[in-house]
Amino acid sequence: MVEWVRVRADMPPGHVRTPVYLRGKTGWVERHLGPFPNPEALAYGHDGTPTPLMRIRFTMSEIWGTDTAHPDDTVDAEIYAHWLENIEQPHAP
């Protein structure tokens, strides 16, 4: 069963690891990678408590719009769980 997620559209100041072009976009979990120290916390001298990291797959049409040259091609990005919101299936991958 496909696990759909949306990347939070937040724009916090400071050191963040989630690409701006993926914020607010919908993809699906390609795999769970396990917990890793949170680099956003480590950058500010905090303990970086391990946080689940996931590989998320997005279609080019989701990222760049339906007029993109290869709308069904995909790109994977590794994103920490605190940046993701679970959603219902928006469309079939």
Side-chain angles (χ1 to χ4, degrees):
M1 177 153 192
V2 176
E3 185 178 353
W4 290 95
V5 293
R6 178 178 297 119
V7 180
R8 289 182 14 220
D10 297 350
M11 296 291 179
H15 178 83
V16 294
R17 299 287 302 245
T18 302
V20 171
Y21 69 90
L22 294 177
R23 296 181 198 174
K25 303 299 182 185
T26 299
W28 63 96
V29 177
E30 191 276 329
R31 72 179 67 181
H32 293 259
L33 300 171
F36 287 85
N38 182 343
E40 297 170 1
L42 290 171
Y44 292 102
H46 301 291
D47 68 356
T49 300
T51 303
L53 182 64
M54 298 178 208
R55 183 169 298 152
I56 309 301
R57 184 162 290 167
F58 303 89
T59 62
M60 290 298 176
S61 63
E62 173 65 13
I63 298 171
W64 308 116
T66 56
D67 292 337
T68 190
H70 302 283
D72 295 327
D73 285 359
T74 60
V75 63
D76 290 356
E78 294 174 356
I79 301 175
Y80 282 90
H82 65 277
W83 274 94
L84 302 172
E85 304 167 331
N86 290 321
I87 61 169
E88 294 183 24
Q89 180 177 352
H91 53 76

